[in-house]
Amino acid sequence: GLHICQGDWIAMGAGVDEPDFVREEGVFFLAHILRRLSDEIVEGCTSWYADMGLVIPPRTASTLHLLYRRGPQSVTDIAAALRQSHPLVIQWVKQLAALGVVETNKGKDDRRRTIVSLSALGLQQTERLVAAHETFARAYDQLACDADADPFDALWRLEEALRERPFADRLRVAGSE
């Protein structure tokens, strides 16, 4: 996409002048770099969410958004839709239930299934988050501009390639060459 860059941003973080060990070591640490980027974004969202009066943990926003768009879902369906592990979704649901933003009930047909739905507070919180879509889009566009890189297309393609051929298979082939 076309990015119109405005303003300059100067990093003021601790350790900026220190050599970056992970960067020096290179591609071996791709997962570490991605996690580090994710953590930076989540930390920024945590601060901004507080400014907006949101009590939800940023890593759970996709769960709330899914419930908002599709209505009550089983934990298994949430995990499948978000392509996250079942145990991770259970952890998120527990966090959200403790905050009072989701309610859980046993399935009518299968008592082993947990059905998750937004509470009144969850609906209010999620509506605030959905209303902020443009803010997120502008912030990500500015980040892409500042970095002179649009990561989304590449990330979607990487994810698709890993679905077609898992990384463990790629390591095994590369190790046998």
Side-chain angles (χ1 to χ4, degrees), residues 51-112:
D51 294 348
M52 298 298 294
L54 296 170
V55 299
I56 55 176
R59 292 191 197 278
T60 66
S62 57
T63 301
L64 294 173
H65 205 105
L66 177 70
L67 297 172
Y68 179 78
R69 293 286 189 221
R70 298 188 182 169
Q73 303 278 308
S74 71
V75 169
T76 301
D77 291 341
I78 294 169
L82 300 179
R83 295 184 181 156
Q84 294 292 328
S85 73
H86 194 265
L88 182 59
V89 171
I90 289 171
Q91 180 184 342
W92 287 344
V93 168
K94 284 181 181 178
Q95 282 181 296
L96 293 169
L99 291 168
V101 293
V102 299
E103 298 166 351
T104 59
N105 295 293
K106 294 295 177 191
K108 291 182 178 99
D109 300 333
D110 184 349
R111 305 289 295 160
R112 295 170 299 174

